[in-house]
Amino acid sequence: KVVAVSAGYAWEITTDMGGWGLAKLLREFGEAKLTGIVNGIDLDEWSPDADAALDGDGYQRFEPNGSGLEGKKACKRALQRQFGLPERDDVPLMGFIGRLDHQKGVDLITESAGWLMNQDVQVVMLGSGRKDLENSLRDMESRHGDKCRCYVGFSVEVAHRITAGCDILLMPSRFEPCGLNQLYAMRYGTVPVVHAVGGLRETVQQYDPHKGTGTGWQFDEAVTNKFIDSLGWALSVYRDNPEAFRKVRENGMAQDLSWERAAEKYEAKLIEAKYSW
């Protein structure tokens, strides 16, 4: 058996674009041999009720369900205060956490700055990597310091606090075999907006306003206008239908994203491999 870190990525590596020279061989494996299982998250480290990074500075631990959203609101205020942004409950606070390179798609955010900074929003970003992208973040902050703050570098504590305090996580990766930040975000009631590739497409369910289902928003091509369209829908629901946005949060928190769930699937796959010929 060959197990990729998501079913979506297992399919992508069978394509000529995603297979990096191995696509023909991987296609020959077929679905019986090539499958995908999404990673889990360590709930001792990444869960708002057990997160030591939320002890102090106005942050607080909270339950990963609807009853914990007041605690999440306290984390939002603390994050705004830590980054020097106005403390407002009504403004959608968006975050980005990641390596600054072509894969992670942070350029889609900076290229959207003209539109984004004309909205009533706040953005906090954390990351390091390519110098040109680091400078793009610094430039975005210098032009829009009342709405955008950037931490160029990396801090585990700040990553936890952004995950806890934001309303929306931006994850415009050009490719992402599994992705973990969207899983962390949903556990903390932070709604992901993602490029529909690999594990992102599999783990973030598109919001359906008619059924009240879904855990976030997707866009199907890594181009600025598609990113803006998807983010625009998320912001519209946040502003115009707060109860629906709350439901999206709660849908995300209600999932079992643990390693126990993933381990059960790996165990079943190993047993299948043992007894297959």
Side-chain angles (χ1 to χ4, degrees):
K1 301 293 182 180
V2 177
V3 183
V5 290
S6 69
Y9 191 62
W11 173 80
E12 287 175 5
I13 60 178
T14 65
T15 68
D16 292 338
M17 181 177 293
W20 292 90
L22 294 175
K24 185 176 184 296
L25 172 65
L26 294 170
R27 283 195 293 269
E28 291 172 359
F29 286 171
E31 293 182 3
K33 184 166 186 174
L34 175 61
T35 55
I37 298 174
V38 171
N39 290 332
I41 61 177
D42 183 349
L43 298 183
D44 292 330
E45 181 179 359
W46 284 98
S47 188
D49 55 338
D51 194 337
L54 305 183
D55 296 337
D57 300 328
Y59 294 88
Q60 66 181 64
R61 302 187 192 195
F62 58 92
E63 292 298 315
N65 53 48
S67 70
L69 291 180
E70 282 302 311
K72 181 172 177 64
K73 192 177 291 185
C75 290
K76 177 177 179 176
R77 296 185 193 117
L79 185 65
Q80 290 169 324
R81 190 161 54 249
Q82 180 174 351
F83 275 82
L85 292 168
E87 291 181 43
R88 292 175 53 192
D89 291 341
D90 63 313
V91 67
L93 178 56
M94 297 177 285
F96 169 87
I97 303 166
R99 190 174 65 254
L100 302 183
D101 63 14
H102 181 73
Q103 177 200 346
K104 297 299 182 180
V106 68
D107 54 296
L108 296 183
I109 301 174
T110 57
E111 288 171 4
S112 303
W115 173 84
L116 190 56
M117 294 294 97
N118 277 322
Q119 312 301 308
D120 188 17
V121 300
Q122 295 175 343
V123 181
V124 293
M125 295 192 280
L126 168 67
S128 62
R130 273 175 36 189
K131 296 305 177 185
D132 61 324
L133 295 175
E134 289 182 354
N135 290 335
S136 292
L137 263 61
R138 293 188 181 101
D139 181 65
M140 190 168 168
E141 179 182 87
S142 68
R143 292 172 181 269
H144 309 282
D146 59 328
K147 293 183 176 183
C148 176
R149 293 299 172 95
C150 303
Y151 185 122
V152 176
F154 195 74
S155 163
V156 172
E157 180 182 74
V158 173
H160 279 251
R161 290 179 168 186
I162 290 174
T163 303
C166 280
D167 299 301
I168 295 170
L169 179 77
L170 306 177
M171 210 162 169
S173 303
R174 287 184 167 83
F175 63 92
E176 197 69 66
C178 177
L180 289 173
N181 284 341
Q182 84 281 8
L183 302 180
Y184 301 150
M186 290 187 288
R187 179 70 178 180
Y188 285 70
T190 299
V191 176
V193 173
V194 304
H195 181 208
V197 291
L200 301 180
R201 180 175 60 244
E202 184 174 340
T203 57
V204 179
Q205 298 176 348
Q206 176 72 26
Y207 169 63
D208 184 333
H210 304 293
K211 298 178 181 177
T213 57
T215 58
W217 279 266
Q218 300 182 358
F219 57 101
D220 61 9
E221 188 179 359
V223 292
T224 306
N225 66 303
K226 294 287 186 75
F227 171 65
I228 288 174
D229 286 347
S230 184
L231 186 52
W233 283 113
L235 294 175
S236 176
V237 174
Y238 180 93
R239 295 192 188 102
D240 301 335
N241 197 340
E243 284 305 309
F245 197 87
R246 179 189 176 102
K247 184 66 166 63
V248 179
R249 292 190 199 268
E250 293 177 349
N251 290 345
M253 290 188 286
Q255 300 174 105
D256 181 2
L257 303 173
S258 69
W259 264 115
E260 284 76 10
R261 172 200 54 79
E264 289 176 359
K265 293 183 177 182
Y266 270 103
E267 182 179 36
K269 187 58 61 178
L270 291 170
I271 291 171
E272 181 184 322
K274 180 178 180 180
Y275 295 103
S276 64
W277 298 93

